[in-house]
């Protein structure tokens, strides 16, 4: 049986990593959208992988992700496809 919480957690975490966004920065970005989440509540939700579709969409919009592709690989792990644009890389 597939662990869907783990799959959605990996999807969100991969999008955060691609954009170089920490959980603390995500809390600030969500606040700018009027969504009140603390860093600790974000840590908890992402760690469990059990969060609402609403929270997932809010996070994706907050980090500027307007498109994701989900591909099922032989290992049955859902992965977000690489966008064609460059990612934020800090020196």
């Amino acid at each position: 049986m597939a662990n869907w919480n783990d799959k959605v957690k990996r999807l969100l975490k991969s999008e955060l990593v691609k954009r170089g966004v920490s959980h603390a920065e995500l809390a600030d970005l969500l606040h700018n959208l009027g969504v009140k989440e603390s860093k600790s509540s974000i840590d908890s939700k992402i760690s469990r992988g059990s969060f609402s579709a609403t929270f997932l969409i809010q996070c994706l919009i907050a980090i500027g992700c307007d498109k994701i592709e989900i591909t099922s690989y032989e290992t049955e792990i859902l992965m977000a496809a690489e966008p064609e644009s460059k990612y934020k890389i800090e020196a």
Side-chain angles (χ1 to χ4, degrees):
M1 180 175 192
N3 184 340
W4 293 103
N5 288 349
D6 190 50
K7 291 179 182 191
V8 73
K9 172 176 63 174
R10 288 178 188 218
L11 183 127
L12 179 54
K13 286 176 80 171
S14 71
E15 292 300 327
L16 291 170
V17 168
K18 286 178 186 179
R19 289 164 178 78
V21 177
S22 70
H23 292 182
E25 292 169 324
L26 178 58
D28 291 337
L29 293 169
L30 287 169
H31 179 75
N32 293 340
L33 294 177
V35 178
K36 296 180 182 176
E37 292 284 349
S38 66
K39 179 196 175 296
S40 61
S41 71
I42 291 170
D43 290 343
S44 179
K45 286 180 180 185
I46 293 176
S47 175
R48 285 190 321 265
S50 58
F51 43 80
S52 68
T54 300
F55 177 75
L56 175 63
I57 298 300
Q58 289 169 333
C59 291
L60 294 175
I61 289 172
I63 64 173
C65 178
D66 58 0
K67 180 179 177 181
I68 57 172
E69 289 185 35
I70 302 170
T71 305
S72 181
Y73 292 92
E74 290 179 25
T75 60
E76 297 184 6
I77 297 174
L78 296 180
M79 304 281 293
E82 294 284 327
E84 295 178 18
S85 61
K86 296 282 184 184
Y87 301 120
K88 174 183 168 185
I89 300 174
E90 295 186 26

